[in-house]
Structures are given as C-alpha cells and as structure tokens.
Amino acid sequence: MEKPINNKYPSVKTVTDEERIGMVKEIFSTITGKYDFLNHFLSLRRDVAWRRFTIKKMRFFKTNRFLDAACGTGDLSIGAALKYPKISVVGIDFVLEMIKAGKNKVEKKGLSEKIALMHGDALALPSCDSTFDVTGMAFGIRNIPDRRQALREMLRVTVPGGQVMILEMTFMRNRLFRILYYVYLNYLLPLFAKVFSTNPAAYYYLADSIMNFPTPEEFAKIMEETGMTEVEKYPLTFGITWLHIGKKPQQAT
Ligand SMILES: C[S@@+](CC[C@H](N)C(=O)[O-])C[C@H]1O[C@@H](n2cnc3c(N)ncnc32)[C@H](O)[C@@H]1O
C-alpha cells in the first residue's frame, strides 16, 4: 500500500538528529492550540486512561518529588499532583508554547503551588542528581533522537530505588491489527488532522515516528543498557501504547 505524500516533514529515517529536533520544535509550537483536543479525539480519550495507568504505578517514598520530562501541556504533571496531594512536580519542555498552555491549565486547576512547568531540554535536565522519587515521560521519547541520553538524564535525577517511567506509542505487531493501525495512522489520522489542525502535516510525522519506534522488547533493553534494573513493560489498548518502568539501582549515585 503506497503511503500518502507528505512534502513538509521528511521521514525520521532520512533526517539528521539536528534536523529532526528542528522539526519537533516546529511541530509542537504550531499545533499547541489544538493539541489536547486532537490527542483526546484521535485516541478516543485512551490517552487519558494511559496517563492514569502510569500515575497509578508511581511510588513516592523519599523526596515526594516528580519530574515530568517533555511535559507538553502538563497532563501527566496535573494528573500526578491530583492523585498524590503531598508531592511537588517539576515539568520541563523545550517548546515555550506548550509550557504556556500547560501553565494556564495548572493555574485554572489551582495547582500553581504544587506544579512548576519550565523551559528546558530533556537531554540536559536542569536538576541535581537524585532529586526525584519518580521521573516520567509521556509521548516524548519518540520525539527525541538521542533516546539514551534522555534516559541517562532521567536516571541521574532519580533517587536510588526510584522509578523511571516511559509511556510511548508504538507500532503493533499483530498482523490484523497492524494493517488496520497502518491505515488509521497513514490515512484516517491525517484526514482528521486536515479538518481540525492548523498544521496537518504534523500528523504524518506522528505516524512516521510511531512506525519507526523500537519494539517494546528493544526499548526495555535500551533502558537496561542505560543502567536501569527490574524493567517492567505493560501493553495498553492492544499494545498501541506501552508503559515501561525502570528502577534506579540502590548503589547508584
Ligand atoms: C507528544 S508531546 C507530549 C506532551 C505531554 N507529555 C503529554 O503527555 O501530552 C511531546 C513533547 O515533547 C517535547 N520535547 C521533545 N523533545 C524534547 C526535549 N529534548 N526536551 C524537552 N522537551 C522535548 C515537545 O516539545 C512536546 O511538547
């Protein structure tokens, strides 16, 4: 089946890391206004359930701090702060427009005392070593070419014994679902995006980045190779999305 042509964003397979980072920054600064709506609409609100599942798995035991890396408009931060009233949350993202939208939501929910959303790069987190009981990233790692560096940074700022959580969409491997999902990603999704988004080409990038993401097994191995132990993986909604949880070993600094 031939893929629809996207003249704006070349495949992630054909661009350099720098070009890809530029694309990611442009995409998220141009789709901010409709980001939350399209997330919920295109996933039939499954994204809400996936974040909720992730939040339920969090364990706060020492510093009561949570880092939301690549926080976007702050849904994981807000969900965690509501579920665990004792924690404080730092969210970082390198697209100011996303942060601004997130700050508005945080204010509206009356959570400004608990959640600080700030500009920053997941590849060089602006936090000291061993600061957070839990560090999480929802739908961010797919957009980061140097995944290992992002994982190393998350591990560095996590306390020994703490959790690193990665929630990410991936391409299904079951043959029937694979075909249906391919059609959805490459034909239906861009169609909906054309109707609702100011930058529909961004949704070709979404499909492309999902199809080029490592398998859950490969990704678990990458987490182990960056120093995490006891890596667990949970398939969500037939494996459209997976939650990976790694532990920072006790002896690590
Ligand atoms: C698909 S959105 C996910 C946002 C949010 N976590 C959520 O659950 O909706 C991906 C986000 O990752 C951010 N991002 C990508 N690479 C980043 C990096 N190196 N540092 C910080 N943020 C990054 C983008 O700006 C964007 O806001």
Side-chain angles (χ1 to χ4, degrees), residues 67 69 122-125 135-137 140-142 144-158 163-167 213-214 218-228 231 244-248:
L67 175 82
L123 297 178
L125 290 169
T135 56
M137 188 183 279
I141 198 79
R142 192 174 20 89
I144 300 180
D146 193 349
R147 293 178 195 122
R148 286 171 193 270
Q149 176 58 15
L151 292 173
R152 277 194 293 271
E153 273 296 89
M154 290 176 79
L155 191 62
R156 177 182 69 76
V157 302
T158 303
Q163 298 163 301
V164 176
M165 302 185 139
I166 305 289
L167 182 67
F213 193 69
E218 286 164 352
F219 192 71
K221 192 151 180 275
I222 295 174
M223 286 178 80
E224 280 161 5
E225 285 166 1
T226 56
M228 297 169 205
V231 175
H244 283 80
I245 306 177
K247 192 172 171 185
K248 179 162 172 174

Side-chain angles (χ1 to χ4, degrees), residues 37-225:
F37 163 73
L38 274 172
N39 254 356
H40 303 334
F41 177 71
L42 296 173
S43 75
L44 305 174
R45 282 190 77 80
R46 288 292 80 205
D47 66 311
V48 176
W50 298 332
R51 285 194 201 83
R52 199 180 302 134
F53 181 84
T54 306
I55 291 164
K56 266 197 197 152
K57 291 274 173 196
M58 294 178 178
R59 298 286 170 262
F60 293 95
F61 62 101
K62 191 170 178 191
T63 64
N64 284 324
R65 290 195 182 123
F66 169 53
L67 175 82
D68 182 3
C71 63
T73 59
D75 279 358
L76 195 64
S77 297
I78 292 169
L82 290 173
K83 166 105 180 139
Y84 305 105
K86 284 196 184 131
I87 66 167
S88 60
V89 182
V90 173
I92 70 113
D93 200 286
F94 69 9
V95 171
L96 274 173
E97 288 81 357
M98 295 292 270
I99 297 278
K100 272 189 212 149
K103 280 188 172 169
N104 283 340
K105 281 159 63 177
V106 167
E107 259 170 45
K108 275 190 193 140
K109 300 239 174 227
L111 291 169
S112 303
E113 302 275 291
K114 289 181 181 293
I115 302 176
L117 301 186
M118 53 185 76
H119 191 241
D121 193 335
L123 297 178
L125 290 169
S127 305
C128 298
D129 295 358
S130 304
T131 302
F132 302 95
D133 283 344
V134 182
T135 56
M137 188 183 279
F139 314 113
I141 198 79
R142 192 174 20 89
N143 300 296
I144 300 180
D146 193 349
R147 293 178 195 122
R148 286 171 193 270
Q149 176 58 15
L151 292 173
R152 277 194 293 271
E153 273 296 89
M154 290 176 79
L155 191 62
R156 177 182 69 76
V157 302
T158 303
V159 301
Q163 298 163 301
V164 176
M165 302 185 139
I166 305 289
L167 182 67
E168 193 49 271
M169 301 180 81
T170 182
F171 196 48
M172 296 157 124
R173 277 160 308 147
N174 172 296
R175 210 195 256 176
L176 174 67
F177 282 134
R178 207 181 159 86
I179 296 168
L180 293 174
Y181 196 39
Y182 182 92
V183 170
Y184 172 72
L185 281 178
N186 290 288
Y187 294 88
L188 285 181
L189 191 131
L191 204 71
F192 291 135
K194 225 179 234 170
V195 177
F196 294 114
S197 178
T198 44
N199 182 5
Y203 288 82
Y204 286 109
Y205 164 82
L206 173 67
D208 186 49
S209 64
I210 290 172
M211 291 195 315
N212 284 292
F213 193 69
T215 64
E217 291 73 25
E218 286 164 352
F219 192 71
K221 192 151 180 275
I222 295 174
M223 286 178 80
E224 280 161 5
E225 285 166 1

Side-chain angles (χ1 to χ4, degrees), residues 227-242:
M228 297 169 205
T229 56
E230 298 173 44
V231 175
E232 296 164 10
K233 46 187 186 353
Y234 300 91
L236 301 166
T237 315
F238 311 114
I240 289 176
T241 288
W242 285 72

